[in-house]
Amino acid sequence: MKITQYKDIESFLFKQLPMFQRVGPKAFKKDLKNIQQLDALLDHPHKAFKSIHVAGTNGKGSTSFFLAAALAELGFKVGLYTSPHYKDYRERIKVDAQLISKSYVKRFVNDLIERGVFEGKLKPSFFEITVAMAFSYFKEQRVDFAVIETGLGGRLDSTNIITPVISVITNIGLDHTQFLGNTLTAIAGEKAGIIKAEVPVIIGREQKETKAVFHRIAKQLRAPLTYTTNNPQIEQQNLDQLPSYQHENLSTAAATLHRMGMSLTAEQWKRILTKGLTKWGFVGRYQRLSSSPRVIADSAHNEMGIKTLFNELESEAYEQLHIVLAVVADKDLDLVLPYFPKDAVYYFSAAQIPRALAVAKLSAKASQHGLSGQNYTTVPRALAAAKRNAKHEDLILVVGSIFTVAEIV
């Protein structure tokens, strides 16, 4: 069976064993056997290029984009693998800021079908197929470097078959606790699973709860460990171009490059921040969508991310805050809702994915935390209502998950 239309290829991919981004916990796998077998079948494509592996609770996507844009600015051919996507499945796999071609996606999937991969015992998941596709595409494109973002955790993440030239862990917070553990120490242990023997590792944030874990594992593996705070920072004039919560991620990227023996001038960083990130499709991170009314979209979805977001909002001047909120069902809302201001006007909704929390359940839980508003069937309708109600001096925030933001960017 050969699939000829790209839209049918996408449908075929989405129908494979459940992907976590859509259905949540039941998609999680507890070992790397599948991806290892698939990788062997494809002749170990990840060995054909140098890689940088990025994990962490928050900021790993941003840090990955910063690294890819910086390496491209330095003249390298760069692959970037991130997840999930906002609009187009192909956003997950890029080379030199260009999406993987539809023809390659079709060719890759049809090749697996012809080999009988989906009819045997292997039956790879959506995520495993996509990781293998990324590695194969980067090999074919002969990239110099590939920046690889983990999907979930680190130790058991499908990307963790690589041996990178350097590993990066941005920070540790409480997220996906049903898989990674319910303490920062336990989660740090899972994220530290990307540390490889004698491969340098950069830690983006020094945290007392996780420091001992990273030092113990790095010592066992003889992996040189460096904290971002101990490395040269980006020039302040370039940091000023970003929301303050991104300063740490940018500095982590710079520290990573510094450890690799690379550096950029102030002018190069300026080009990256003004043009490079846009070229690479950097969206959904404190993204200003309009000015009248002012609309900011942010993909923050866990306790650390939400807290950081509202700290950033304190630098904004506005009369009334309007919040469009939609979340996924497996989040512990009792951890995040206390950070939401009670004097904001709320527009509750649900993203159009199976994993979404029903809007009635969201508004009921929000009410328990003193947050009140109206329910809307879709995120675009909720945003439209917020725009109708907002005055010129007001601010609209769209938040809750990547899937929430994806429906309006």
Side-chain angles (χ1 to χ4, degrees):
M1 177 191 72
K2 185 174 183 179
I3 305 176
T4 58
Q5 298 297 317
Y6 177 75
K7 63 180 178 61
D8 295 328
I9 287 284
E10 274 202 352
S11 296
F12 178 83
L13 285 171
F14 292 141
K15 288 177 182 176
Q16 298 315 302
L17 293 180
M19 60 174 179
F20 176 79
Q21 286 81 4
R22 290 178 63 81
V23 301
K26 65 182 179 180
F28 188 66
K29 293 192 175 182
K30 298 185 182 301
D31 59 55
L32 298 176
K33 291 180 181 178
N34 259 24
I35 187 63
Q36 288 168 340
Q37 292 179 41
L38 187 56
D39 180 65
L41 181 69
L42 298 168
D43 195 25
H44 308 290
H46 71 276
K47 296 182 179 180
F49 51 84
K50 296 177 181 177
S51 57
I52 300 172
H53 208 184
V54 185
T57 300
N58 289 305
K60 63 182 184 292
S62 297
T63 302
S64 296
F65 271 94
F66 293 148
L67 284 167
L71 288 167
E73 177 68 27
L74 289 168
F76 295 106
K77 187 170 187 177
V78 183
L80 175 63
Y81 175 78
T82 57
S83 64
H85 60 272
Y86 281 84
K87 292 290 189 181
D88 188 331
Y89 167 77
R90 297 180 301 136
E91 294 169 27
R92 296 166 179 257
I93 306 170
K94 300 173 184 175
V95 170
D96 285 349
Q98 300 300 309
L99 304 183
I100 185 174
S101 67
K102 291 181 178 180
S103 62
Y104 187 89
V105 177
K106 287 200 298 182
R107 174 157 52 94
F108 182 84
V109 174
N110 277 311
D111 178 60
L112 294 186
I113 291 173
E114 290 172 10
R115 294 188 188 209
V117 168
F118 302 100
E119 297 172 0
K121 294 182 180 179
L122 181 56
K123 291 185 174 60
S125 69
F126 170 93
F127 193 80
E128 290 160 344
I129 297 165
T130 306
V131 168
M133 185 190 302
F135 293 168
S136 297
Y137 188 61
F138 296 155
K139 176 182 178 179
E140 181 177 286
Q141 291 292 306
R142 297 184 178 182
V143 301
D144 299 309
F145 289 96
V147 181
I148 310 296
E149 178 197 7
T150 60
L152 174 63
R155 182 175 64 92
L156 298 176
D157 188 76
S158 293
T159 63
N160 201 31
I161 60 172
I162 63 176
T163 299
V165 296
I166 192 165
S167 304
V168 182
I169 301 174
T170 56
N171 52 57
I172 302 299
L174 293 175
D175 199 15
H176 304 305
T177 53
Q178 65 270 53
F179 309 121
L180 307 180
N182 56 14
T183 66
L184 296 183
T185 301
I187 294 172
E190 290 295 317
K191 304 285 186 182
I194 71 165
I195 300 175
K196 302 297 193 301
E198 300 182 2
V199 174
V201 55
I202 301 292
I203 307 297
R205 182 183 303 175
E206 187 170 343
Q207 299 167 263
K208 63 180 182 179
E209 300 92 341
T210 63
K211 187 174 182 178
V213 176
F214 292 139
H215 278 266
R216 173 175 54 81
I217 294 175
K219 183 178 180 180
Q220 288 173 352
L221 295 171
R222 304 179 307 283
L225 185 149
T226 308
Y227 286 96
T228 294
T229 50
N230 297 331
N231 281 271
Q233 303 297 298
I234 306 296
E235 288 80 357
Q236 187 60 46
Q237 62 266 36
N238 285 317
L239 286 174
D240 290 342
Q241 299 180 56
L242 292 170
S244 60
Y245 76 85
Q246 287 285 17
H247 295 182
E248 180 179 282
N249 299 325
L250 185 61
S251 295
T252 298
T256 303
L257 294 169
H258 180 76
R259 186 64 178 79
M260 295 169 65
M262 303 176 188
S263 62
L264 289 85
T265 65
E267 187 60 33
Q268 285 176 311
W269 280 117
K270 182 178 179 180
R271 281 198 296 270
I272 289 168
L273 297 176
T274 55
K275 298 179 181 178
L277 290 176
T278 301
K279 179 181 177 183
W280 279 89
F282 186 72
V283 298
R285 285 96 169 169
Y286 210 79
Q287 184 177 1
R288 297 181 185 274
L289 300 180
S290 65
S291 57
S292 184
R294 273 185 300 158
V295 179
I296 294 175
D298 195 279
S299 302
H301 57 275
N302 53 41
E303 181 182 10
M304 180 186 292
I306 292 295
K307 180 180 179 180
T308 301
L309 171 62
F310 282 113
N311 285 340
E312 185 66 34
L313 277 181
E314 291 180 2
S315 65
E316 302 280 349
Y318 54 83
E319 288 294 324
Q320 177 66 57
L321 179 61
H322 303 257
I323 298 180
V324 176
L325 180 63
V327 302
V328 293
D330 48 77
K331 294 297 178 185
D332 186 347
L333 293 180
D334 289 324
L335 290 178
V336 298
L337 289 178
Y339 293 100
F340 283 78
K342 292 180 173 58
D343 57 353
V345 179
Y346 287 88
Y347 306 76
F348 302 112
S349 188
Q352 303 303 298
I353 60 168
R355 191 180 158 206
L357 180 66
V359 62
K361 291 183 178 180
L362 172 59
S363 60
K365 175 61 74 171
S367 179
Q368 295 175 14
H369 290 268
L371 313 178
S372 60
Q374 298 296 315
N375 294 358
Y376 297 85
T377 55
T378 69
V379 174
R381 288 181 178 177
L383 177 58
K387 287 181 176 180
R388 288 194 300 269
N389 294 339
K391 298 178 181 178
H392 179 73
E393 303 83 5
D394 293 350
L395 174 64
I396 300 172
L397 172 67
V398 183
V399 69
S401 77
I402 284 178
F403 312 103
T404 304
V405 173
E407 296 194 2
I408 52 90
V409 293

